[in-house]
Amino acid sequence: MSDQPFYLGVNYPWNRYAQDFGLSLAGHHGISLLENQASLAGEFARIRDCGARVVRWFLFADGRGGYVSEKGIPQRPDEFLFADVAAALELARQSGLQLCFSLIDYLWLQDRSGKETLHAHERVMQFAAGREAFLHRVLLPMFREFRRHPALFAWEIANEPEWAIREFHRTPAARMHYADFRAFAAEMATAVHEFAQVHVTLGSARLDWVRAWTELPLDFYQAHYYPSPGTDASAELMKQCAALRSLDKPLWLGELPARDDRAKGYSLETSLGHCQKAGLLGAAVWRWTLPETAGTDGHVGVVDPQLLFAWSAGSRSRSAVV
């Protein structure tokens, strides 16, 4: 078994999707509000007590809030963004946790042409000037503000961008070219190193897509794993992890389902054990917060704190889980 530390985490994807940080059309519901801080402090304590040390959280999500724009071009962080991010980081620090902030969700990268407009910022990622403005006028100030913050595990460039890229996903919404997104992601990764000086990663949707991002200046690779329906989940995960042993940097499994009612014999405990034996950097269970009624992930459930604590305690006695 590898002596590399195993970073066990959970996905706390959002309280309110795209509204936890900054101002949106729905108002300010961010983490800097005292009632939200009180609730989050309790959640973080429970996460820590079940053995997890990393919390993965969507920050801008579909881009509806957190910054001010003019004529569709981002201009600056809004009046609440830094306060909300600072509050989350401070609560994480107090609880002995670190945050992996996923900056952009694939929904923001997808092209919604011909569909009902959801918010004023939804097309920012569809053109180079919008992406550049967002990076230089919103992200860089944020990277500087939280430079070397001890509660930052990593800035994650994007969550599952492949679902918006035509070379990976042949749907009308996936119109972005791989070369265009790759150039943007490379610029973001370089900016994190220069201005934030913390780790940077990218949340690939599948283990077998990770190699598409190996030329980016990332500090560790990240992929998500959900069993294919009807397959032997244990054998599938072992096979996919083994195929990636030659990667030149550590691999973190950013999403691993708490359960999967559609997969034959899926077990979170067994899957975490496979990840550890394969020498992965760690794994984060999806999800801690309750899924929405209309969501698509109800079948993967939520974290069972007792189960996670039992696995963590047993694993900690045998290895270098942190």
Side-chain angles (χ1 to χ4, degrees):
M1 184 176 293
S2 171
D3 291 330
Q4 174 178 275
F6 188 86
Y7 290 89
L8 180 64
V10 300
N11 280 270
Y12 188 96
W14 52 79
N15 281 319
R16 300 186 183 203
Y17 182 79
Q19 298 177 56
D20 292 340
F21 304 96
L23 185 67
S24 71
L25 290 176
H28 180 233
H29 301 286
I31 301 305
S32 61
L33 296 174
L34 292 179
E35 60 267 30
N36 289 340
Q37 290 187 54
S39 173
L40 186 60
E43 293 295 290
F44 276 2
R46 287 187 283 275
I47 290 171
R48 176 201 62 214
D49 291 346
C50 71
R53 289 295 176 265
V54 180
V55 174
R56 183 170 175 265
W57 198 337
F58 289 28
L59 205 156
F60 292 98
D62 69 357
R64 70 184 68 179
Y67 59 97
V68 176
S69 66
E70 295 177 8
K71 297 181 179 180
I73 301 295
Q75 299 296 317
R76 61 187 180 277
D78 70 24
E79 59 187 302
F80 297 109
L81 178 63
F82 287 2
D84 290 334
V85 174
L89 286 168
E90 176 57 21
L91 288 169
R93 186 195 65 79
Q94 292 175 7
S95 298
L97 300 173
Q98 287 187 303
L99 302 182
C100 177
F101 277 126
S102 184
L103 294 167
I104 298 169
D105 192 11
Y106 73 86
L107 292 174
W108 196 12
L109 297 169
Q110 288 183 332
D111 191 328
R112 291 184 50 81
S113 298
K115 297 183 179 180
E116 180 183 357
T117 299
L118 295 178
H119 57 83
H121 301 154
E122 68 180 20
R123 292 196 59 79
V124 165
M125 291 291 143
Q126 299 306 309
F127 56 101
R131 296 191 294 269
E132 288 295 307
F134 179 67
L135 171 58
H136 290 279
R137 299 175 183 176
V138 180
L139 293 182
L140 291 191
M142 185 172 67
F143 294 160
R144 291 189 186 101
E145 180 73 14
F146 301 105
R147 184 183 183 95
R148 298 180 181 174
H149 197 291
L152 267 173
F153 183 68
W155 291 113
E156 179 186 311
I157 294 168
N159 170 63
E160 304 188 351
E162 296 95 343
W163 302 130
I165 298 172
R166 63 178 63 188
E167 287 87 349
F168 292 96
H169 193 47
R170 293 287 183 174
T171 64
R175 296 186 181 181
M176 186 170 289
H177 287 285
Y178 168 71
D180 292 336
F181 180 78
R182 185 185 176 283
F184 178 54
E187 193 173 359
M188 285 184 67
T190 299
V192 171
H193 288 147
E194 181 176 354
F195 297 100
Q197 295 194 352
V198 296
H199 289 156
V200 62
T201 188
L202 181 146
S204 180
R206 293 180 176 172
L207 281 160
D208 55 4
W209 285 346
V210 167
R211 294 188 187 279
W213 311 111
T214 54
E215 293 185 7
L216 293 178
L218 304 174
D219 294 294
F220 61 90
Y221 302 125
Q222 183 195 153
H224 303 160
Y225 173 73
Y226 293 91
S228 302
T231 62
D232 183 331
S234 179
E236 180 185 50
L237 180 57
M238 288 179 65
K239 180 179 179 180
Q240 292 190 27
C241 287
L244 295 171
R245 286 186 182 275
S246 61
L247 288 174
D248 61 325
K249 294 173 184 175
L251 173 65
W252 193 59
L253 211 59
E255 293 184 16
L256 182 68
R259 70 164 198 269
D260 196 323
D261 298 338
R262 303 174 183 175
K264 176 184 175 182
Y266 178 76
S267 161
L268 176 61
E269 306 100 302
T270 301
S271 297
L272 286 171
H274 289 333
C275 292
Q276 192 175 33
K277 290 176 182 177
L280 268 59
L281 183 64
V285 186
W286 185 276
R287 53 188 281 185
W288 184 268
T289 54
L290 290 172
E292 292 78 6
T293 303
T296 59
D297 60 348
H299 67 286
V300 303
V302 295
V303 174
D304 179 339
Q306 291 183 334
L307 183 154
L308 200 60
F309 172 79
W311 182 87
S312 176
S315 182
R316 197 180 303 275
S317 68
R318 299 187 299 272
S319 63
V321 174
V322 296

